[in-house]
Amino acid sequence: MIDAGDHLARMRARAPLVQNITNYVAMNVMANIMLAAGCSPAMAHDEGEAAEFAGLADALSVNIGTLDPAWLRSMEAAAHVMNEAGKPWVLDPVAVGATALRRDAGARLLALRPTVIRGNASEIIALAGAEAAGKGADTAHAVADAEDAARALALQTQGVVAVTGEVDFVTDGESAWRISGGHALMPRITVMGCSLTGLVAAFAVDQAPLAATVAALAYYAVAGEEAGRQAKGPASFQVAFIDALHALTPDEVSARARIEAA
Amino acid sequence: MIDAGDHLARMRARAPLVQNITNYVAMNVMANIMLAAGCSPAMAHDEGEAAEFAGLADALSVNIGTLDPAWLRSMEAAAHVMNEAGKPWVLDPVAVGATALRRDAGARLLALRPTVIRGNASEIIALAGAEAAGKGADTAHAVADAEDAARALALQTQGVVAVTGEVDFVTDGESAWRISGGHALMPRITVMGCSLTGLVAAFAVDQAPLAATVAALAYYAVAGEEAGRQAKGPASFQVAFIDALHALTPDEVSARARIEAA
Amino acid sequence: MIDAGDHLARMRARAPLVQNITNYVAMNVMANIMLAAGCSPAMAHDEGEAAEFAGLADALSVNIGTLDPAWLRSMEAAAHVMNEAGKPWVLDPVAVGATALRRDAGARLLALRPTVIRGNASEIIALAGAEAAGKGADTAHAVADAEDAARALALQTQGVVAVTGEVDFVTDGESAWRISGGHALMPRITVMGCSLTGLVAAFAVDQAPLAATVAALAYYAVAGEEAGRQAKGPASFQVAFIDALHALTPDEVSARARIEAA
């Protein structure tokens, strides 16, 4: 069994420095979510320093939400540094099927074999299908529709793939886990998924990627349930959610996490 | 008479995908405001995908707040796609009179005849006056000072122009409307206007632009009044405002909207 | 003695326009913090308008958090305009020791002699030591460790240097002050320091830089204490903090500020 609280405790004790090359929409909230959880986020994306900064960081998250060609080169350079050093990096393939720029970015980053990929069902399906997909950013698939794609991607990259949604699905291509929890308001708040990607990177430092990913998702889901008790709408939910990430103890997370083998 | 709640209900039923090429300050809050209201925002601005993404979107909003030359080219390309497809696009001419870069951008985007222009009084005056204005970002005019400029701009673009402030003014050059409501704290919170521009784009999908714009402004004003009842300052106001956008029903908006012919 | 409330009252009466060339993470919150306090922030960074916009602004803040080479040129051009016009500008040397790009930016901006430099202890030590430092973004020093570096930098630039932390230290190289207050949650929220840098620029308009800087820091610390009374975690702290910046009167700030000569 995976003890999510135990992974949280180790992440907090380590307090890793995580470099994020992420989209403009996410940067502020993602930093606050990572600080509240207990790690140390840094945003550095310029070609002139991305790789150098990666040498200082314990982990890297890469997000193609507001992509441009120069950023893609920085992402590749930083991912390469992490691979050389045996440090984890996590890919968030935002709307990867929507445009040629994103499909190309997805393929190039996939070739660098991310330690973990985290996306919604449509993104994981598009990433696995490469050329074939491309249905746009608003395509809606259920998590269950993406399980085969997730397994295939995991085997292809020899990494972990997480499909998040009402019930999350995480696999390394062999075993798989489902994580329940969260709250119905979470899809009405932007960058909740992007921010989770940063937390997955933090959990994966010095911890086995599959269990670390499952634990990060379970912690997020518990915080979502907690926030849902107090929220009057999406903005008060976000405030309560970040407060909950900060307040939850490892023991509370262990007791309330809902993880089962798939 | 314009029934704001009816327009809100149709926007929510349609849940349009709105592409926003907007400034860095606005991106996160704008996305949250649009999600809370019930549409689907996406931020995609790179020259390599802006026009392609416009082909997927139901509407476009363009905002020159943190402009650079490459973004301006993306804005023009995306606006051109919307025009060709007969889909609405909305211009937010932030501080358009302040610098040569902004005056040039304003003139070039105006030539593409936005479906709707939304700005404060100083921006609408500067945009209508082109070369003559240029008084800087902190020029303060009352909405009433900009009514003639708004009418002239609307006739020039054959579109709708909205001047927002204590009492909003909306015209298509022929008829005109005034919308009351909101709250005194709203000018002490950044990007409230930018975010409203995105909502106007969402309301304008498959709805007549003049009525859709009036309805979006009235909905915003009702949410502002609601938030003002609970706020202790600008930050708690913003939280309550986004919660109110999410909670308000079309019937409540219809009952509380204060719209009158000008 | 420095009367912080008196400086706040003068800043609010003046309501200066402050141009900020700052990082993407900070832009939104910084604008809201500056609006709540009572000044007028504007973000304009493109090379095509940064210097022109500086001609309109009363003060400038420059922050290297998400730097790239084009932004650095804009920063230098805008700082030059402020120097020529005798208007204040403030430097925030985020993670200046971490990479070659940042060390180079720090050295170039230092040569333009900022009116005020505000950083954490590690940043001030790195900036004073130039080539020698470079220990990365997560280096942790206590404020006391940076006092000598702060004095040396102040003498070198003939400006003011502020080191913020649990107890802040401000010096012009001759006299020095310590400011207490704030709250333990403040380091768990991103861009609190960046936003303070913008406030320092606003306070420095038409006020002596040393006293203005001390007053801005004391006002911030009082708001932090006030917010700490209501916060349940970092996100509710941020909401309460911005509300407090807006609600605090000059008299309250004068009564509660904890400033002492160092």
Side-chain angles (χ1 to χ4, degrees):
Chain A
M1 200 56 207
I2 295 168
D3 182 338
D6 187 53
H7 286 272
L8 172 62
R10 277 185 272 160
M11 187 282 286
R12 285 183 176 161
R14 182 70 166 80
L17 176 64
V18 181
Q19 179 181 6
N20 304 288
I21 307 181
T22 190
N23 68 74
Y24 299 115
V25 189
M27 287 184 182
N28 183 276
V29 173
M30 185 174 183
N32 277 327
I33 281 179
M34 294 175 75
L35 284 166
C39 60
S40 178
M43 276 65 185
H45 59 264
D46 186 65
E47 280 189 270
E49 69 169 0
E52 184 182 357
F53 204 99
L56 303 171
D58 299 307
L60 169 73
S61 85
V62 160
N63 176 306
I64 64 167
T66 51
L67 190 66
D68 73 31
W71 283 45
L72 180 53
R73 292 191 296 272
S74 293
M75 291 170 182
E76 292 182 299
H80 186 71
V81 170
M82 303 318 275
N83 283 347
E84 289 292 304
K87 295 187 286 192
W89 73 280
V90 183
L91 171 63
D92 193 327
V94 178
V96 69
T99 63
L101 179 71
R102 286 163 198 264
R103 285 189 293 274
D104 174 57
R108 285 166 59 178
L109 292 164
L110 209 55
L112 289 167
R113 308 215 323 210
T115 315
V116 186
I117 301 168
R118 190 220 59 84
N120 64 32
S122 299
E123 291 159 353
I124 296 302
I125 291 169
L127 195 61
E131 289 73 33
K135 292 186 185 169
D138 55 345
T139 316
H141 292 91
V143 170
D145 300 335
E147 294 191 3
D148 288 349
R151 280 199 187 86
L153 268 183
L155 291 172
Q156 180 187 336
T157 58
Q158 300 191 290
V160 170
V161 177
V163 190
T164 57
E166 204 173 318
V167 176
D168 305 328
F169 177 81
V170 181
T171 184
D172 63 358
E174 315 256 327
S175 64
W177 301 86
R178 290 200 174 84
I179 300 99
S180 307
H183 191 274
L185 278 171
M186 292 173 87
R188 304 315 295 171
I189 304 160
T190 198
V191 304
M192 291 293 280
C194 306
S195 303
L196 174 53
T197 301
L199 277 192
V200 168
F203 273 70
V205 175
D206 298 338
Q207 305 204 50
L210 180 63
T213 302
V214 169
L217 271 51
Y219 166 50
Y220 221 62
V222 171
E225 288 182 335
E226 183 64 25
R229 294 184 187 172
Q230 304 161 53
K232 296 178 192 167
S236 55
F237 182 92
Q238 183 171 297
V239 171
F241 179 72
I242 294 174
D243 282 358
L245 287 173
H246 186 261
L248 282 167
T249 64
D251 284 349
E252 289 170 325
V253 171
S254 295
R256 293 169 61 177
R258 291 194 274 143
I259 301 167
E260 44 186 41
Chain B
M1 200 55 207
I2 294 168
D3 183 338
D6 188 52
H7 286 272
L8 173 62
R10 278 186 271 161
M11 187 281 286
R12 284 184 176 160
R14 182 74 165 77
L17 176 64
V18 182
Q19 178 182 7
N20 305 288
I21 306 180
T22 191
N23 67 74
Y24 299 115
V25 189
M27 286 185 185
N28 183 276
V29 173
M30 185 173 184
N32 276 329
I33 281 179
M34 295 176 75
L35 285 167
C39 60
S40 177
M43 277 63 185
H45 61 263
D46 186 65
E47 280 189 88
E49 69 168 2
E52 183 183 358
F53 205 99
L56 304 171
D58 299 307
L60 169 72
S61 85
V62 159
N63 176 304
I64 64 166
T66 51
L67 191 66
D68 73 32
W71 283 45
L72 180 53
R73 292 191 296 271
S74 293
M75 291 170 182
E76 292 182 300
H80 186 70
V81 169
M82 302 318 275
N83 284 347
E84 289 291 305
K87 294 186 287 194
W89 73 280
V90 183
L91 172 63
D92 193 327
V94 178
V96 69
T99 63
L101 178 73
R102 288 163 197 265
R103 285 190 293 274
D104 174 57
R108 284 165 59 177
L109 292 165
L110 209 55
L112 289 168
R113 306 216 324 212
T115 315
V116 186
I117 300 168
R118 190 222 59 83
N120 65 32
S122 298
E123 290 159 352
I124 297 302
I125 291 168
L127 194 61
E131 289 73 33
K135 291 185 184 172
D138 55 343
T139 315
H141 291 92
V143 170
D145 300 335
E147 293 191 3
D148 288 348
R151 279 201 187 83
L153 267 184
L155 291 172
Q156 179 188 337
T157 58
Q158 300 190 290
V160 171
V161 176
V163 190
T164 56
E166 204 174 318
V167 176
D168 305 328
F169 177 81
V170 181
T171 185
D172 63 359
E174 315 257 325
S175 65
W177 301 86
R178 289 198 175 85
I179 301 99
S180 308
H183 190 273
L185 277 173
M186 292 172 88
R188 304 315 294 172
I189 302 161
T190 196
V191 304
M192 290 294 280
C194 305
S195 303
L196 174 52
T197 300
L199 275 191
V200 168
F203 273 70
V205 174
D206 299 337
Q207 305 203 52
L210 180 63
T213 302
V214 170
L217 270 52
Y219 166 50
Y220 221 63
V222 172
E225 288 183 334
E226 183 65 25
R229 294 184 186 172
Q230 303 160 55
K232 295 179 192 167
S236 54
F237 181 92
Q238 183 171 298
V239 171
F241 179 72
I242 294 175
D243 282 358
L245 287 173
H246 186 261
L248 282 167
T249 65
D251 284 348
E252 289 169 326
V253 171
S254 295
R256 294 169 60 177
R258 289 194 274 144
I259 301 167
E260 43 185 40
Chain C
M1 199 56 207
I2 294 169
D3 182 339
D6 188 52
H7 286 271
L8 172 62
R10 278 187 271 161
M11 186 281 287
R12 284 183 176 161
R14 181 74 165 77
L17 176 64
V18 182
Q19 178 181 7
N20 305 289
I21 307 181
T22 190
N23 68 74
Y24 299 115
V25 189
M27 287 184 182
N28 183 276
V29 172
M30 186 174 183
N32 277 328
I33 281 178
M34 295 176 75
L35 284 167
C39 61
S40 178
M43 276 65 185
H45 61 263
D46 186 65
E47 280 189 88
E49 70 169 0
E52 183 182 357
F53 204 99
L56 303 171
D58 299 307
L60 169 72
S61 85
V62 159
N63 174 305
I64 65 167
T66 50
L67 190 66
D68 73 33
W71 283 45
L72 180 54
R73 292 192 295 272
S74 293
M75 292 169 182
E76 291 181 302
H80 185 71
V81 169
M82 304 317 275
N83 283 347
E84 289 292 304
K87 294 187 287 194
W89 74 280
V90 183
L91 171 63
D92 193 327
V94 178
V96 69
T99 62
L101 178 72
R102 288 163 197 263
R103 283 189 294 274
D104 174 57
R108 285 165 60 177
L109 292 165
L110 209 55
L112 289 167
R113 307 215 325 211
T115 315
V116 186
I117 300 168
R118 190 221 58 82
N120 65 32
S122 297
E123 291 159 353
I124 297 302
I125 292 168
L127 194 61
E131 288 72 34
K135 291 186 187 170
D138 55 345
T139 316
H141 292 91
V143 171
D145 300 335
E147 294 192 2
D148 288 348
R151 280 199 186 85
L153 267 183
L155 291 172
Q156 180 187 337
T157 59
Q158 301 191 291
V160 170
V161 176
V163 189
T164 56
E166 204 174 318
V167 176
D168 304 328
F169 177 82
V170 182
T171 183
D172 62 358
E174 315 256 326
S175 64
W177 301 86
R178 290 200 175 85
I179 302 99
S180 308
H183 191 273
L185 277 171
M186 292 173 87
R188 304 316 294 173
I189 303 161
T190 196
V191 304
M192 291 293 281
C194 305
S195 303
L196 174 53
T197 300
L199 276 191
V200 168
F203 273 69
V205 174
D206 298 338
Q207 304 203 52
L210 179 63
T213 302
V214 170
L217 270 52
Y219 166 49
Y220 221 62
V222 172
E225 287 182 335
E226 183 64 24
R229 294 184 188 174
Q230 304 160 54
K232 296 179 193 167
S236 55
F237 181 94
Q238 183 171 298
V239 170
F241 179 73
I242 295 175
D243 282 359
L245 288 173
H246 186 260
L248 281 167
T249 65
D251 284 348
E252 289 169 326
V253 171
S254 295
R256 295 169 60 178
R258 290 193 274 143
I259 301 167
E260 44 186 40

